Amino acid sequence: QAQFVESGGGLVQPGGSLRLSCAASGSAESIFVMGWYRQAPGKQREVVATITGGGSANYRDSVKGRFTISRDNAKNQVYLQMSSLKPEDTAVYYCMTVPIRSDAWGQGTLVTVSS
C-alpha cells in the first residue's frame, strides 16, 4: 500500500525545469528525515536529496546547484525543484523516509528529459 504519492513529473527539454511534489498519508512523516530517490531504466534506485524535519538538506553531487528539496510539515508535503535538467536525470522519482521503509514505496513520477 502506497504511503507516499508523487506528482509533477513529465517531459521536459534539456535545461528545463520541473517541480515534483510528494504527499504523505497521515502526519507522522514530519518527524522523519525525508528523501527523494530516483530509478533510471536498467539502473538501481539511488538517493537524490534528503531533508531533515528542520529543513537541512543534502544532495548527491550530480544534482548539487540544480535541485532544491523542501518540505511543508503541516501539509505532509515534500518538494523537489529541479532546474538545468539533463538527459541523465531521466528516471522515475520517488519520495521516502530516511531510512527507507521498504513496504511504503509509492508509484513514483516519471521525469523524462529529452529534446
Side-chain angles (χ1 to χ4, degrees):
Q1 294 181 335
Q3 188 168 342
F4 308 104
V5 179
E6 301 90 348
S7 62
L11 175 64
V12 64
Q13 296 185 63
S17 63
L18 283 173
R19 180 176 178 268
L20 307 184
S21 298
C22 169
S25 61
S27 60
E29 279 65 33
S30 64
I31 70 175
F32 296 104
V33 176
M34 294 293 296
W36 281 97
Y37 297 74
R38 68 186 181 187
Q39 186 167 26
K43 303 290 184 64
Q44 61 185 336
R45 194 171 287 161
E46 64 183 17
V47 65
V48 177
T50 62
I51 185 168
T52 69
S56 296
N58 288 103
Y59 304 88
R60 73 181 302 109
D61 288 343
S62 62
V63 308
K64 286 180 178 177
R66 301 189 298 118
F67 291 10
T68 301
I69 187 172
S70 61
R71 67 191 297 168
D72 184 335
N73 292 335
K75 295 181 178 180
N76 280 350
Q77 296 270 357
V78 187
Y79 309 97
L80 186 68
Q81 178 66 51
M82 306 182 294
S83 62
S84 301
L85 283 162
K86 305 175 180 179
E88 307 92 275
D89 296 317
T90 296
V92 178
Y93 284 71
Y94 304 85
C95 62
M96 177 53 62
T97 52
V98 181
I100 292 169
R101 296 175 177 173
S102 60
D103 62 342
W105 292 105
Q107 64 182 5
T109 186
L110 176 63
V111 172
T112 302
V113 185
S114 180
S115 59

